[in-house]
Amino acid sequence: MADFPGKKLFSIKTVCIVTGASRGIGRSIVVSFASKFPPGSLVIALARDLEQLAVTKTLSTKASTGVPCVTHLFDQGLLDQHKYNALLKDCLQGRVASEFQQAMIVHNAGSVGSEFCLNLTNVAQVSHYLDVNVAGLVALNAQFMQMFKDVPSKVVVNITSLSAVQPMASWGLYCSGKAFRDMFMRTLALEQPDFRVLNYAPGPVDTNMFHKEGLQETKAEDHLEALRAMEKCLLSPETTVNRLIAILEKNVFESGAHIDYFDDQ
């Protein structure tokens, strides 16, 4: 059954996988989505920090007692084939794909990695960045597609950025990684017309990534000044996730589209 625009994506029994779910936007997605899905659904929270994942699980359980939250240690940059092959089956904890009417994945995990293009001479660092932000996403997404290929409704959400379409000095890897992910999702939408695919840019958000990798590590002075100006008007994770929920609930976007928080509704 094709998942056509207008279908109510939060009204059916869903298994939803969220990467980078230990804090910030990812945590808010887990908690807010769990409160929207019907009982019997399942939210799977993936991240590198088990302690913070436990906090996410507690908040999710409080938000919806009828939608369990499974947490699993996952480093998207460690490209171990066996671990990728086993990950989603392990996360289902005995449940099977056929139990669900819908499968959804939200690709939120990522990093900034500020450096001028001229200085990107460390092959290991460049390779690791691409593993985390590009190769790992591609591999996990393919595992998701294989595992849930027979589920009637499939939804893929990529958390993107203005940097996917606008170059930013000293963020060459970040901009390129986001651009790759956007185009990959557009290609996925073309290949799989029965999927709903969305690139969502959440705007400037009050997260650890903004303050640490953004303000503390950005090397281009003009770019840093722009970030400092944004600091005065940051969105909360909950605010931008509510906008994402509204887009998905309305479900009239073109599959593969790039939609920004600030775009007209």
Side-chain angles (χ1 to χ4, degrees):
M1 178 179 67
D3 196 6
F4 296 113
K7 182 175 178 140
K8 296 186 180 302
L9 301 181
F10 288 101
S11 68
I12 53 180
K13 188 176 176 181
T14 300
V15 53
C16 178
I17 300 146
V18 183
T19 67
S22 60
R23 52 176 55 85
I25 295 172
R27 172 179 287 170
S28 185
I29 290 171
V30 169
V31 174
S32 298
F33 280 32
S35 71
K36 300 290 293 184
F37 290 127
S41 297
L42 174 67
V43 176
I44 297 170
L46 305 178
R48 296 177 298 171
D49 189 331
L50 282 176
E51 183 176 343
Q52 289 302 314
L53 274 176
V55 176
T56 298
K57 181 173 183 175
T58 298
L59 294 172
S60 180
T61 302
K62 288 180 180 178
S64 178
T65 56
V67 178
C69 175
V70 170
T71 61
H72 200 287
L73 185 68
F74 175 65
D75 186 335
Q76 193 161 275
L78 297 179
L79 301 181
D80 182 302
Q81 187 69 59
H82 174 74
K83 289 182 179 179
Y84 268 80
N85 290 346
L87 176 65
L88 296 182
K89 183 177 180 181
D90 290 346
C91 289
L92 287 175
Q93 296 185 343
R95 299 181 72 172
V96 294
S98 60
E99 291 184 37
F100 302 98
Q101 297 168 296
Q102 177 170 261
M104 180 181 296
I105 188 166
V106 183
H107 293 291
N108 173 65
S111 59
V112 175
S114 178
E115 186 53 88
F116 293 105
C117 297
L118 175 70
N119 298 329
L120 294 172
T121 57
N122 187 311
V123 174
Q125 289 181 358
V126 172
S127 178
H128 180 67
Y129 184 88
L130 295 175
D131 285 349
V132 172
N133 294 280
V134 174
L137 177 146
V138 171
L140 178 61
N141 196 75
Q143 292 289 342
F144 168 82
M145 293 173 68
Q146 292 289 335
M147 173 68 74
F148 300 107
K149 63 182 183 297
D150 295 324
V151 173
S153 175
K154 278 88 66 177
V155 183
V156 179
V157 179
N158 170 46
I159 302 302
T160 187
S161 168
L162 177 63
S163 302
V165 296
Q166 179 176 308
M168 299 182 180
S170 77
W171 279 18
L173 284 177
Y174 182 74
C175 294
S176 300
K178 289 297 187 183
F180 175 96
R181 288 164 62 142
D182 267 29
M183 181 54 73
F184 182 80
M185 293 300 160
R186 289 175 61 189
T187 304
L188 172 62
L190 178 66
E191 293 178 350
Q192 303 289 339
D194 59 328
F195 279 52
R196 296 294 282 147
V197 183
L198 174 66
N199 292 297
Y200 175 66
V205 184
D206 189 5
T207 62
N208 182 66
M209 177 180 282
F210 181 90
H211 291 287
K212 183 178 184 297
E213 296 191 52
L215 289 177
Q216 294 182 25
E217 299 180 6
T218 295
K219 297 185 177 181
E221 191 59 36
D222 288 350
H223 187 187
L224 185 56
E225 285 302 315
L227 292 175
R228 287 171 179 153
M230 289 180 194
E231 192 176 15
K232 302 172 184 176
C233 54
L234 293 177
L235 303 168
S236 70
E238 292 75 19
T239 297
T240 195
V241 170
N242 284 339
R243 172 79 167 105
L244 171 59
I245 288 172
I247 293 167
L248 292 173
E249 284 188 319
K250 196 172 182 181
N251 192 21
V252 294
F253 57 89
E254 179 184 358
S255 192
H258 175 118
I259 299 179
D260 193 281
Y261 173 86
F262 296 104
D263 288 345
D264 292 336
Q265 298 191 34

